[in-house]
Amino acid sequence: MIALIIDAHTHYGIGLNFPFRAKTIDDMVIVMDKYGVDMACISSAYALLHDCPEGNRRLYEAVKLYPSRFIPFCAVNPRYLDEAKNELRKYINEKGWKGVKLHPELHYYMANCEASIAIMEEIDKLNVPVLIHSGDPHMYGFYSRLDLIAELAGMYPETPIILGHMGITAWLDAIELAKKHLNLLLDTSGSCYSYGMVELAVEELGAERVVFGSDFAELNLPVELSKVMDSDISDGAKNLVLGGNIARIICLKEGK
Amino acid sequence: MIIDAHAHIGTAQRRYPVYIKTTEQIIEIMDRFKIEVACVSSLLAINYDFLSGNLEMRKEISSFPGRFIPFCVVHPRYRPDAIEELRRCVDEWGWKGLKLHPLHQGYPADCRRAQEIIMETAKLGVPVLIHSSMDDFTHPGRIANLADKMPDATIIMGHMGALGYWYDSIEIAEQYENIILDTTNAYAVDGLVETAVEAVGADRIVWGTNLPLSYPGPNLVRITESDINEREKRQILGENILRILA
């Protein structure tokens, strides 16, 4: 039996490139209820596609309506370093948000560039996890190559780094890098359905290092969820992947 | 009746370790997800040698009569065997379609030899299932070119462009009526099925699992949980592929 489902990777706010059936925060909650998702880590799509301060502000307003359902992550663009630091101060320090979201692909910076390292330095001091988009070099992963993110993981071993999409099609490489860097966690969201992916990740790294994510409302929540549900891992492992791990990461950090 | 339009037999896979290793396991999974029949092609044939691959699959599926609809694989540039093999599979063995994987096989989807073999499928009256994804060899534009040049061929666009080109695939299917969209391992974007149904109609969409390489749940749930009516779901889940193969 599944105790608690926490989605480690969702976004609020539509982008015009996708249909977005769940257009509002209320729509999102309806879909989460339908598929038994208790809580979701969420960051602003508006921030990733356009304007971070305005995106974070809109997310702040939206999640106020559902304080027990959403765990907001602050999205920043390291290329606007002063603004980014300011956003972290405002939302992590002052408003108690639980994590940071970085998207090198959408913000067009190499994951290991100077600005990226500068913002990781800040995140490291804040003691919160960071969710970083990752991909395959030929599929949404030019700037967010796994080895570049692994470099960050090596520099900041105390900061939990959630590898968004676990490299998409490059998931085998993601598992390999996570073996070397114990602060890397793999997020199952994205579009690779390879039979054995979740099983192998759990076998190689332990269930503690894999988190369920959906990338909802861009992507399809039940589709992404069924990948973990179908996987041939124990109920205990499934509970960790579906919510236990992300709860642990966020609570532990809160206790510090 | 649930019919999987896109699955495979075998263990040949270059990129990932194969988790589901036997045809018996595939049958078990099909039973668990209430999939009665699966259209299959040989992984060995796609990845390496089509003659031994087709033969291996013929042997594998013979133990499960009624559960599999075999598609023949050939490499269009390996001639004259390619055309002979297609004719043998269809005429002598009663196989129902052709599967091409230009990315793994290493040729542009709309190259001259591919066109010739697809012309042959039109003559034989069987559909061709072609992989499409975010790469040059299987770019949806190349599939569109095939559809444009050969209006008599029924072209099933495998993965409907995969991640990046899901919408392009829909646009192309709007233009060419001989294109069937296959949602197997298409992008998980929320609203994909609904958008496709609205644009081209539910009668030109099929679904598949990509077993044994992919989890069946995501691909099945994408259809069962979509906001389309029950009739449209039945069409996508089985009626369409039956009509195409008839």
Side-chain angles (χ1 to χ4, degrees):
Chain A
M1 278 281 94
I2 302 305
L4 188 71
I5 301 184
I6 306 176
D7 191 330
H9 188 159
T10 69
H11 297 293
Y12 166 67
I14 65 169
L16 297 180
N17 52 336
F18 289 158
F20 279 92
R21 286 185 296 166
K23 290 186 169 59
T24 66
I25 202 84
D26 310 281
D27 293 343
M28 289 184 75
V29 170
I30 291 168
V31 177
M32 286 163 63
D33 284 344
K34 184 172 176 191
Y35 298 105
V37 174
D38 299 286
M39 298 177 85
C41 299
I42 189 165
S43 59
S44 161
Y46 191 89
L48 299 177
L49 291 167
H50 180 38
D51 175 351
C52 286
E54 176 59 14
N56 290 327
R57 191 195 66 76
R58 290 184 186 188
L59 177 63
Y60 177 75
E61 293 299 324
V63 297
K64 262 205 294 206
L65 305 169
Y66 299 99
S68 62
R69 305 301 296 276
F70 293 104
I71 304 162
F73 275 43
C74 179
V76 295
N77 181 347
R79 292 289 195 205
Y80 295 76
L81 196 56
D82 289 340
E83 173 194 283
K85 287 181 180 174
N86 201 31
E87 289 297 291
L88 292 182
R89 202 171 306 123
K90 183 169 170 187
Y91 289 101
I92 309 279
N93 289 346
E94 293 167 22
K95 302 200 188 296
W97 283 15
K98 302 298 184 193
V100 180
K101 165 75 181 182
L102 296 176
H103 205 309
E105 216 63 25
L106 286 175
H107 285 152
Y108 300 95
Y109 62 89
M110 282 292 177
N112 65 344
C113 73
E114 282 180 17
S116 186
I117 291 168
I119 208 69
M120 282 299 295
E121 189 75 36
E122 293 298 308
I123 296 167
D124 192 53
K125 285 183 215 153
L126 291 169
N127 268 326
V128 291
V130 54
L131 168 58
I132 310 183
H133 168 91
S134 75
D136 193 310
H138 72 100
M139 214 177 273
Y140 306 133
F142 176 76
Y143 293 104
S144 328
R145 254 171 41 207
L146 292 166
D147 55 325
L148 304 182
I149 301 172
E151 214 176 287
L152 298 179
M155 293 172 78
Y156 301 99
E158 298 299 317
T159 295
I161 297 179
I162 304 164
L163 269 177
H165 319 301
M166 58 190 286
I168 311 182
T169 39
W171 58 267
L172 269 177
D173 303 288
I175 293 173
E176 199 174 311
L177 287 166
K179 277 205 271 191
K180 286 185 211 155
H181 299 282
L182 300 180
N183 52 331
L184 284 179
L185 291 107
L186 306 183
D187 151 27
T188 63
S189 77
S191 265
C192 213
Y193 305 147
S194 300
Y195 215 124
M197 177 182 83
V198 177
E199 290 86 342
L200 190 72
V202 166
E203 189 189 319
E204 294 278 316
L205 307 168
E208 294 77 11
R209 306 276 303 285
V210 184
V211 297
F212 154 67
S214 69
D215 212 351
F216 178 61
E218 275 90 338
L219 300 191
N220 188 309
L221 181 60
V223 168
E224 292 297 318
L225 186 58
S226 70
K227 178 156 54 171
V228 178
M229 291 300 191
D230 280 8
S231 67
D232 190 13
I233 56 176
S234 70
D235 279 356
K238 232 171 240 187
N239 267 312
L240 287 172
V241 173
L242 287 170
N245 292 334
I246 197 77
R248 181 189 71 240
I249 291 159
I250 281 157
C251 294
L252 266 182
K253 285 295 167 181
E254 201 171 35
K256 269 193 180 177
Chain B
M1 170 142 143
I2 300 182
I3 302 174
D4 177 346
H6 188 154
H8 302 286
I9 296 287
T11 55
Q13 219 314 28
R14 285 180 228 164
R15 187 161 195 185
Y16 305 118
V18 172
Y19 188 78
I20 304 299
K21 296 185 176 64
T22 68
T23 309
E24 285 76 10
Q25 282 176 290
I26 295 175
I27 288 283
E28 275 170 37
I29 294 164
M30 285 168 63
D31 289 344
R32 200 183 330 140
F33 286 87
K34 299 187 167 53
I35 300 165
E36 293 187 45
V37 182
C39 298
V40 286
S41 56
S42 157
L43 290 173
L44 177 61
I46 288 169
N47 284 292
Y48 184 56
D49 170 6
F50 66 84
L51 292 172
S52 12
N54 291 331
L55 209 55
E56 177 195 74
M57 187 171 87
R58 188 172 186 234
K59 188 165 162 281
E60 281 296 320
I61 64 176
S62 66
S63 318
F64 306 97
R67 301 305 300 275
F68 296 112
I69 297 174
F71 275 47
C72 161
V73 177
V74 299
H75 194 300
R77 289 179 170 173
Y78 198 82
R79 305 198 312 166
D81 305 43
I83 297 219
E84 280 171 20
E85 177 71 355
L86 174 64
R87 287 188 189 138
R88 174 173 46 239
C89 288
V90 174
D91 289 337
E92 290 178 29
W93 296 354
W95 287 18
K96 299 294 183 194
L98 173 68
K99 160 78 183 184
L100 295 179
H101 200 309
L103 177 62
H104 287 349
Q105 294 181 308
Y107 54 86
D110 56 351
C111 71
R112 192 176 172 83
R113 296 291 177 256
Q115 290 187 29
E116 286 165 0
I117 201 86
I118 292 167
M119 201 67 96
E120 192 64 23
T121 64
K123 282 186 207 154
L124 292 165
V126 295
V128 53
L129 168 57
I130 310 182
H131 176 94
S132 69
S133 57
M134 271 179 87
D135 61 273
D136 179 43
F137 279 178
T138 65
H139 188 286
R142 292 191 186 274
I143 316 291
N145 188 26
L146 290 171
D148 186 63
K149 286 206 163 65
M150 289 170 288
D152 293 336
T154 300
I155 299 170
I156 304 170
M157 202 166 171
H159 317 305
M160 51 186 289
L163 278 75
Y165 295 142
W166 68 276
Y167 202 93
D168 307 69
S169 303
I170 293 173
E171 289 176 351
I172 287 163
E174 280 179 324
Q175 255 180 296
Y176 299 102
E177 295 210 345
N178 54 331
I179 284 194
I180 307 291
L181 295 174
D182 163 21
T183 62
T184 309
N185 285 20
Y187 201 9
V189 58
D190 191 70
L192 173 131
V193 173
E194 295 79 359
T195 307
V197 168
E198 200 187 323
V200 305
D203 57 335
R204 281 173 55 210
I205 302 168
V206 297
W207 87 289
T209 58
N210 202 40
L211 274 169
L213 304 178
S214 302
Y215 295 115
N219 279 309
L220 186 56
V221 161
R222 192 207 299 279
I223 311 299
T224 55
E225 294 297 299
S226 63
D227 285 327
I228 57 176
N229 66 41
E230 289 308 311
R231 180 170 175 271
E232 290 166 330
K233 283 182 191 174
R234 280 201 308 276
Q235 287 179 299
I236 296 174
L237 288 173
E239 288 173 13
N240 292 339
I241 190 70
L242 276 185
R243 183 192 72 236
I244 291 160
L245 296 171

